Amino acid sequence: PAATGPLKGKVVLVDPGHNPGNFRHTTEINRKVDIGTGRKECDTTGTTTNSGYMEAAFTLDVARRLRTILEEQGATVKFTQDGDRAWGPCIDERARIGNEAGADAAVSIHADGSGTGNRGFHVILPGAVHGGGADTRPIVGPSRELGERIAGRFVRLTGSAPSNYVGDGTGLVTRKDLGGLNLSTVPKVFIECGNMRDSKDAALLTDGAWRQKAAQGISEGIVSFLGG
């Protein structure tokens, strides 16, 4: 990483959703883990486009593009996985990696698997959860700011509209059922970059030039949040 830049001294956790090998390890990923508000599967396989392009391949590609951009800005970038393990990690471990890194911002990258005609991106924010091993109350405010900045830059860089099926046109959704958010002690959001099951969105998600724009939009939101 560069020694200078607007993100010098900052640590960013990038979480490429799912894992391309999860489908071969159903026993492991179906194991339940504590997410504070209950128990949930360790992970899932993620979705695919109708032509078979895996969400897990998409998330890794965007994450690697994002890492390159952030490192050029001077950030230290931590990954939860880099295609270097057979499956996982589980959602609780994904949160723990960001916590232990003391990340200044954390982003989990995904793509949705909703119905045809459902289009656009949305950023998922942590709700206020206090139970079990979870206490998101300190991160709710900064996570919302991070999410709003990413959403704004994502629109500008990709030209994609906010989701037409969740979030009432804001591109922002708050949830309390995601272990990766519930167990985070650092500002964290998820971004669903588009709907893999809609042919128009899938055409974007499978295009490398668009994925570069997506990574740029996410990075600019992070830089804005961290005061770069």
Side-chain angles (χ1 to χ4, degrees), residues 7 12 14 16 28 31 34 40 50 55 63 72 82 93 97 100 107 114 128-129 134-135 153 159 180 187 193 213:
L7 297 184
V12 179
V14 177
E28 292 91 340
R31 178 174 63 84
D34 179 26
K40 203 167 182 178
N50 292 332
E55 179 187 358
E72 289 171 350
D82 194 7
E93 184 183 351
I97 292 167
E100 292 177 352
V107 179
S114 188
V129 169
D135 185 1
R153 300 310 194 279
C193 295
K213 293 176 184 177

Side-chain angles (χ1 to χ4, degrees), residues 1-2 10 17 29 33 56 71 85-86 103 118 125 135 149 155 157 166 168 172 174 185 192 202 209 223 225:
K10 301 295 187 181
I29 68 168
V33 299
E71 287 181 346
R85 50 189 292 170
N118 290 345
L125 315 174
D135 185 1
R149 289 174 185 263
V155 167
L157 267 293
V166 290
D168 296 322
L172 300 171
T174 300
T185 58
E192 299 278 2
V223 170
F225 171 73

Side-chain angles (χ1 to χ4, degrees), residues 212-226:
Q212 186 66 29
K213 293 176 184 177
Q216 189 69 45
I218 296 167
S219 72
E220 290 193 9
I222 293 169
V223 170
S224 173
F225 171 73
L226 293 178

Side-chain angles (χ1 to χ4, degrees), residues 7-223:
L7 297 184
K8 180 182 178 182
K10 301 295 187 181
V11 177
V12 179
L13 184 281
V14 177
D15 176 30
H18 312 291
N19 182 312
N22 276 359
F23 72 96
R24 299 189 191 94
H25 295 272
T26 53
T27 299
E28 292 91 340
I29 68 168
N30 285 332
R31 178 174 63 84
K32 298 289 180 70
V33 299
D34 179 26
I35 66 163
T37 53
R39 297 180 68 78
K40 203 167 182 178
E41 289 77 11
C42 154
D43 202 2
T44 68
T45 59
T47 188
T48 67
T49 64
N50 292 332
S51 61
Y53 178 57
M54 296 177 68
E55 179 187 358
F58 169 84
T59 65
L60 261 178
D61 182 81
V62 173
R64 288 167 175 163
R65 294 171 187 268
L66 176 60
R67 174 172 57 193
T68 298
I69 299 168
L70 292 172
E71 287 181 346
E72 289 171 350
Q73 302 286 314
T76 297
V77 181
K78 303 283 188 180
F79 267 33
T80 55
Q81 57 96 12
D82 194 7
D84 51 357
R85 50 189 292 170
W87 58 276
C90 293
I91 52 179
D92 55 343
E93 184 183 351
R94 289 173 186 266
R96 190 161 60 248
I97 292 167
N99 297 345
E100 292 177 352
D104 297 288
V107 179
S108 187
I109 298 171
H110 289 265
D112 212 358
S114 188
T116 297
N118 290 345
R119 295 198 61 196
F121 77 93
H122 63 280
V123 178
I124 304 173
L125 315 174
V129 169
H130 185 216
D135 185 1
T136 61
R137 293 174 298 177
I139 68 161
V140 165
S143 296
R144 170 167 283 276
E145 183 183 351
L146 172 63
E148 288 174 346
R149 289 174 185 263
I150 288 175
R153 300 310 194 279
F154 198 85
V155 167
R156 190 180 308 167
L157 267 293
T158 65
S160 289
S163 169
N164 65 5
Y165 59 100
V166 290
D168 296 322
T170 65
L172 300 171
V173 177
T174 300
R175 288 175 59 175
K176 298 181 180 181
D177 63 327
L178 298 174
L181 294 180
N182 288 359
L183 299 173
S184 183
T185 58
V186 301
K188 185 173 184 180
V189 299
F190 280 40
I191 181 166
E192 299 278 2
C193 295
N195 175 21
M196 299 196 96
R197 291 293 183 172
D198 176 83
S199 60
K200 292 179 180 177
D201 267 13
L204 300 176
L205 298 166
T206 54
D207 179 72
W210 187 90
R211 293 196 298 272
Q212 186 66 29
K213 293 176 184 177
Q216 189 69 45
I218 296 167
S219 72
E220 290 193 9
I222 293 169
V223 170

